[in-house]
Amino acid sequence: MADSTALRARDTIYAEGEWRAAVSGATREILDPADARPFAVVAEGDEKDTDLAVAAARRAFDEGPWPRTPVTERAALLRRVADLLVRDREELGLLEAQDAGKTVEEGRVDIDCVADAFRYFADLVAAEAPGRVVDAGSPDVHSVVVHEPVGVCALITPWNYPLLQASWKIAPALAAGNTFVVKPSEITPMTTVALIGLLTEAGLPAGVANIVTGPGHTVGARMAEHPDVDLVSFTGGLVSGTKVAQAAAPTVKKVALELGGKNPNVVFADACATEEGFDTAVDQALNAAFIHSGQVCSAGARLIVEESVRDRFVAELARRAEKIRLGRGTEDGVECGPLVSAQQREKVESYVESALKEGAVLRCGGKRPEAAPERPASGYFYEPTVLDRCHREMRVVREEVFGPVLTVETFRTEDEAVALANDTEYGLAGGVWTADPGRARRVAGRLRHGTVWINDFHPYLPQAEWGGFGKSGTGRELGPAGLAEYRETKHVYQNLAPAPVRWFRG
């Protein structure tokens, strides 16, 4: 472990336009998961810091200019933020890679997507009509439906895509005219802290953007229950999401939850009828399961493959998975980084152990790799793992592992494939591989998942809503629905020629 005394604690709590230390003076070391060494020290906030930040956001909404700033000016600020993200792409991409354990290439792509999100919501809000006119049946009545900001938004984001997930909340919240307090994961807060700095540089008024770095059980819990918070948006696991909803219930605030997934990737034999088709389906199955070490809510962690091609498909999948180059994301040639923490790796190990006890067949991986110059022994690395002969009763098939573990199930008929794919408490995303366009549309239409990819896996479009069915949550991010999450609807009825009703004679 490095001498952490060489690292200066940063004031990473931002409220009412000022960077601050925690009220308690507490700090937290931020570890690089590639070697478990600290590379930063941040303020460790608690309920008192949260109250200060919420109060700042409340004043800025009730008394400040931002909610009443013209839409064109709000959109212009979001575009300036996008430009600043492009300017700082290399620095932010590297910081995201070090903080979350992903490759620098993945980090750069994330920053590009963050900039796209800010531009998208700027364009969306700038192009909107001022209101929807409702015909009241009288020329003396002007009736219009308008959208207004919700108010103070509490934004709680996960550790796997720190800046990307924050942008999916912050950009629409600002576009709609809200103020906010964001709590990044205590494990990966660094790029969200940097984003708050860019918002300030772009000219956002003091108090509109606030951040509290600290743990979920204090900061997140207080944000969810706070009476001055009008909306809480949470992305993370099912257990924590349930607690957020329960904490928010007494104040009847708006709640948006984007939770986990156990996502099927269904491969029909006809998709593998040619060598090119087979190669593409295998390659995309690897991408679906192992990008960012499987630490993705939409990961295609359940491979459901037609029985006639299963043996060949799984054999080639395992062969390629063994060749994935693990290491520190900043090293050349590295394809996959470590898990985010020792706790996360232990969780993955427990799932693999239980699967083997329940009868799964290990095709590759299933252990920590040997140390190498680009892969320190102290890092939280775990080999890409393929588990064959799996079935629905196994924990590893039912529950979200959030690691580089791919389970394999088989089917014989289209109905069986659909039944297996839908046999989950979650309903976030899924993929379908087939050369038959009619089958593709049929199966996609029958899958109970918020996003369905056909002959692809993982792309998202800023203009398309992102959300899920079942226990994958109730929130919608991106697209017009993502903006709508941060608004209230008001009906304004104006009588231009009022007259007595004379119901009451008096």
Side-chain angles (χ1 to χ4, degrees):
M1 182 70 71
D3 181 5
S4 61
T5 59
L7 300 172
R8 183 177 66 85
R10 291 182 56 189
D11 293 345
T12 54
I13 295 172
Y14 189 75
E16 210 151 21
E18 295 182 357
W19 289 104
R20 308 178 181 188
V23 171
S24 68
T27 60
R28 174 188 289 266
E29 290 183 338
I30 304 302
L31 304 183
D32 184 336
D35 58 18
R37 296 166 68 90
F39 70 93
V41 180
V42 301
E44 180 85 322
D46 59 18
E47 294 91 345
K48 292 181 180 178
D49 302 284
T50 305
D51 287 347
L52 290 173
V54 171
R58 185 79 264 165
R59 282 192 293 273
F61 185 82
D62 293 342
E63 304 169 16
W66 185 250
R68 287 157 289 282
T69 298
V71 168
T72 54
E73 293 182 26
R74 295 204 302 265
L77 184 137
L78 264 62
R79 294 191 186 101
R80 290 198 296 274
V81 174
D83 291 342
L84 293 173
L85 286 160
V86 172
R87 181 197 69 185
D88 295 348
R89 178 179 186 260
E90 290 301 311
E91 178 185 349
L92 290 170
L94 180 61
L95 183 59
E96 194 78 324
Q98 186 175 24
D99 206 5
K102 59 183 65 181
T103 66
V104 173
E105 182 179 359
E106 288 179 274
R108 293 183 185 120
V109 170
D110 285 358
I111 305 309
D112 292 340
C113 293
V114 172
D116 288 345
F118 273 89
R119 290 196 183 99
Y120 169 75
F121 283 108
D123 293 344
L124 179 64
V125 74
E128 287 184 321
R132 177 170 61 87
V133 176
V134 179
D135 185 3
S138 169
D140 293 331
V141 172
H142 179 69
S143 177
V144 63
V145 175
V146 297
H147 300 293
E148 297 189 348
V150 171
V152 176
C153 302
L155 312 177
I156 305 173
T157 61
W159 49 257
N160 59 333
Y161 285 87
L163 194 58
L164 184 61
Q165 293 286 346
S167 74
W168 288 10
K169 302 179 189 299
I170 290 173
L174 290 178
N178 297 286
T179 63
F180 70 86
V181 181
V182 62
K183 190 207 87 65
S185 167
E186 60 268 33
I187 303 174
T188 57
M190 303 308 297
T191 50
T192 308
V193 171
L195 177 60
I196 299 300
L198 296 185
L199 291 172
T200 302
E201 183 179 348
L204 193 67
V208 176
N210 306 272
I211 183 172
V212 181
T213 50
H217 69 272
T218 54
V219 178
R222 180 57 179 155
M223 287 169 67
E225 71 180 12
H226 203 294
D228 283 338
V229 166
D230 301 295
L231 172 149
V232 57
S233 177
F234 171 88
T235 298
L238 176 61
V239 173
S240 296
T242 301
K243 293 179 180 178
V244 166
Q246 291 171 340
T251 50
V252 201
K253 56 173 59 73
K254 291 186 70 173
V255 178
L257 302 175
E258 199 277 279
L259 307 177
K262 194 64 183 178
N263 312 293
N265 189 21
V266 181
V267 179
F268 287 91
D270 62 13
C272 305
T274 66
E275 287 303 313
E276 182 181 5
F278 177 82
D279 182 69
T280 299
V282 171
D283 189 57
Q284 287 280 5
L286 291 166
N287 171 61
F290 299 131
I291 190 170
H292 192 19
S293 295
Q295 299 171 118
V296 186
C297 61
S298 58
R302 293 177 64 202
L303 175 64
I304 302 174
V305 60
E306 193 164 352
E307 188 175 68
S308 61
V309 296
R310 194 275 302 275
D311 290 347
R312 182 188 176 209
F313 198 97
V314 173
E316 180 62 12
L317 187 75
R319 185 188 72 80
R320 296 190 196 183
E322 288 179 332
K323 294 181 178 297
I324 292 175
R325 295 186 291 273
L326 298 179
R328 187 189 297 273
T330 54
E331 296 285 339
D332 291 338
V334 166
E335 298 172 317
C336 207
L339 295 175
V340 76
S341 66
Q343 179 183 14
Q344 188 63 21
R345 182 171 63 178
E346 290 168 2
K347 175 186 172 185
V348 170
E349 289 174 328
S350 71
Y351 273 109
V352 173
E353 180 181 357
S354 70
L356 296 177
K357 288 180 179 178
E358 292 172 325
V361 177
L362 182 67
R363 297 300 184 193
C364 69
K367 64 182 186 300
R368 302 181 186 187
E370 294 182 1
E374 74 279 6
R375 193 171 57 241
S378 56
Y380 308 131
F381 296 96
Y382 195 79
E383 293 182 352
T385 300
V386 176
L387 296 170
D388 197 5
R389 307 288 178 181
C390 293
H391 54 78
R392 181 66 179 84
E393 286 69 34
M394 293 177 175
R395 283 182 59 234
V396 74
V397 174
R398 296 195 315 272
E399 300 175 12
E400 187 176 37
V401 177
F402 230 63
V405 177
L406 177 64
T407 62
V408 181
E409 302 163 78
T410 58
F411 67 91
R412 294 181 180 179
T413 68
E414 183 178 309
D415 286 344
E416 187 180 2
V418 171
L420 283 171
N422 284 335
D423 190 10
T424 174
E425 293 181 333
Y426 298 97
L428 187 62
V432 180
W433 289 84
T434 177
D436 182 343
R439 169 181 282 163
R441 290 190 292 271
R442 278 198 312 274
V443 174
R446 295 174 66 189
L447 292 185
R448 295 283 296 167
H449 300 277
T451 295
V452 178
W453 294 290
I454 298 173
N455 296 336
D456 209 334
F457 213 99
H458 275 320
Y460 80 91
L461 304 174
Q463 62 269 33
E465 286 82 14
W466 175 262
F469 299 167
K471 291 185 177 179
S472 286
T474 59
R476 290 295 180 270
E477 297 185 309
L478 300 177
L483 182 62
E485 291 279 16
Y486 294 92
R487 284 174 159 172
E488 297 284 12
T489 301
K490 177 188 287 184
H491 177 210
V492 179
Y493 181 102
Q494 182 181 8
N495 191 336
L496 303 175
V501 179
R502 303 196 185 282
W503 285 348
F504 305 102
R505 299 299 174 180

